[in-house]
Amino acid sequence: MDKFIELGQDMAALWLQYWDRYLVGIRSTLILAVVATLIGCVIGLVCGILNTIPYSKNDSLPKRFVLKLIRVIVRIYVEVFRGTPMVLQAVFIYYGLPYFTNQQIMFRGNSGLWLAAIIVVSINTGAYMAESVRGGIISIDPGQTEGAKAIGMTHVQTMTSVILPQAFRNILPQIGNNFIINIKDTSVMFIIGFIEFFGQHRNIVGNNNMYFQSAAIEMIGYLTMTLIASFLLRRLEKWLDGNSSYELVQDDALTLSAGTYTHPGKGTPFDERSPEGALTQEQRERKHQELKHGRSRGER
Amino acid sequence: MSETILEVRHLSKSFGDHEVLKDIDFTVCKGDVTSIIGASGSGKSTLLRCINLLETPSSGQILFHGQDVTGKGVNPSQYRSKVGMVFQSFNLFNNMTVLENCMVGQVKVLKKSKTEARENAMKYLEQVGMTPYIKAKPRQISGGQKQRVAIARALAMEPEVLLFDEPTSALDPEMVGEVLSVMRDLAQNGMTMLVVTHEMAFARDVSSQVVFMSDGVICEQGDPRQVFSNPQQQRTREFLSRFMAH
């Protein structure tokens, strides 16, 4: 028990002394994770879409060749970047690019560091997302594609109007997954000297040897970030799913209740004697909402 | 003799070594209601899917107003927008409401304005009795209702022919009636229809032409009264007696 109290005191002391540096680190971590996840999603989306363009034996040879080539290239990209550690990818890109281009391409200064870090994490995320997007697209019932084709939609129209909106909902948990992984895994960017939350920790303990105490602060910090992220992602999913109920558009019910709208003060339209007694509980609830908010729930 | 819309000429389709359709020939005229009947696996659905180019025929021709749509230089999307299709599994777009389902094709394919598409969609949704549900998503309505919406979606494109691929086979018995009555109304209004069905009463009473398929070939075709009351082929007789016994 004493140990915990001691640890707590040390952590408090560390935090009081260095809180601004920890916060700067958290800011860098979050910016890098958000930006790289977004760019990674775009890369993944493009790869996933290119990868699922259908072709048949009847298509012309150049078309089939190009589509096959695209699939091979995407495949290689995915396998290489999914199959190697991000730490090493960072080294290869940060040091490797200047080496191979005879210092033509260099990541100079702080902005160079940011650029390199964003590139590495984005490409890495993109490799994972490419597979998720492909999975999301092929998981949509082929009947959806057939339904769209049957009314004359082209492949592009089918994708944008029917398949991708549904696929996006299905891969959203995967995007969240990648975001949370990125919050944590951006810590390996210390290898190229990018100072984020974990990098700050390394700098701080370099001065005072309070390695374990600072690590405890890091743990709490990372866990807080990921918990908030997963909470927000859940909220986003719920919001996208929308209302589970829908509104019946029934002329009769509206006519019946039309006259009662103007007198909400004189008793409610839902009294036993009102002609709306015929409405179901659910419809009544809806009318209540309409009176309160001036519009129906279904129309959000 | 009214105008010929669709002609199927020597159509064959194989999946690998398996020949599903062999040398199919028939003609659909404007206003015809053609019922395609036959046992499961006899190639009825494949035939319909070939007509809509959802499957590519292995050989033969499909002439739409005299033009071969299987050839190169034909835009399948453009052709499909004139040939509606109603599926056994409805295939409504799950990410859209009932109304949006009926509007999206008009807006994206026919390039109509949203207002115009909406009005048109409402017209056909009313015809199938689904106007109260325009704000519902497909997962919130019953099978029979879904199929009625699917019919309205196809009608909203104002196709010249409407193909039905076993439209009632995935429905509970009590929902079959509501879909069939919508189809009856369509037939009476002169819609050209091609219906793959197991509803023999519908085939007998509503259609103007019956095609009986067996093992990938057209075994018998002709006037429904004649095919049902006096089938010429042994296989037709066997099939019908099995069905009518139920």
Side-chain angles (χ1 to χ4, degrees), chain A residues 58 143-144 146-154 157 161-162 165-166 241 243-249 299, chain B residues 49 52 56 72 77 80 83 85 87 91-96 105 108-109 111 132-136 140 157:
Chain A
N58 299 356
Q144 297 284 306
E146 287 185 354
K149 275 184 173 176
I151 56 172
M153 288 166 99
T154 60
Q157 289 168 336
S161 304
V162 179
Q166 295 182 51
D241 285 346
N243 212 322
S244 60
S245 62
Y246 62 92
E247 196 179 357
L248 277 183
V249 184
E299 280 173 353
Chain B
R49 293 168 59 84
N52 206 12
T56 317
K72 288 201 191 302
S77 302
R80 287 196 196 105
V83 180
M85 178 125 175
F87 298 88
N91 296 352
L92 291 178
F93 306 134
N94 295 326
N95 56 324
M96 299 179 201
K108 302 274 173 188
V109 180
K111 311 287 179 202
Y133 299 92
I134 52 170
K135 289 184 183 172
Q140 296 164 322
M157 299 296 290

Side-chain angles (χ1 to χ4, degrees), chain B residues 146-217:
Chain B
K146 279 185 207 172
Q147 198 58 296
R148 277 146 62 194
V149 174
I151 293 174
R153 177 178 73 178
L155 286 173
M157 299 296 290
E158 289 169 348
E160 294 179 43
V161 193
L162 203 46
L163 313 177
F164 290 83
D165 186 6
E166 303 197 24
T168 56
S169 297
L171 299 178
D172 287 343
E174 69 232 65
M175 291 172 183
V176 171
E178 65 187 56
V179 171
L180 287 182
S181 86
V182 168
M183 290 168 63
R184 271 204 179 92
D185 287 346
L186 284 179
Q188 266 154 21
N189 291 334
M191 186 78 208
T192 312
M193 292 159 52
L194 199 54
V195 188
V196 167
T197 187
H198 289 294
E199 297 291 330
M200 292 305 144
F202 179 88
R204 187 185 55 206
D205 302 337
V206 181
S207 43
S208 52
Q209 176 180 211
V210 172
V211 173
F212 171 68
M213 285 183 69
S214 177
D215 294 326
V217 294

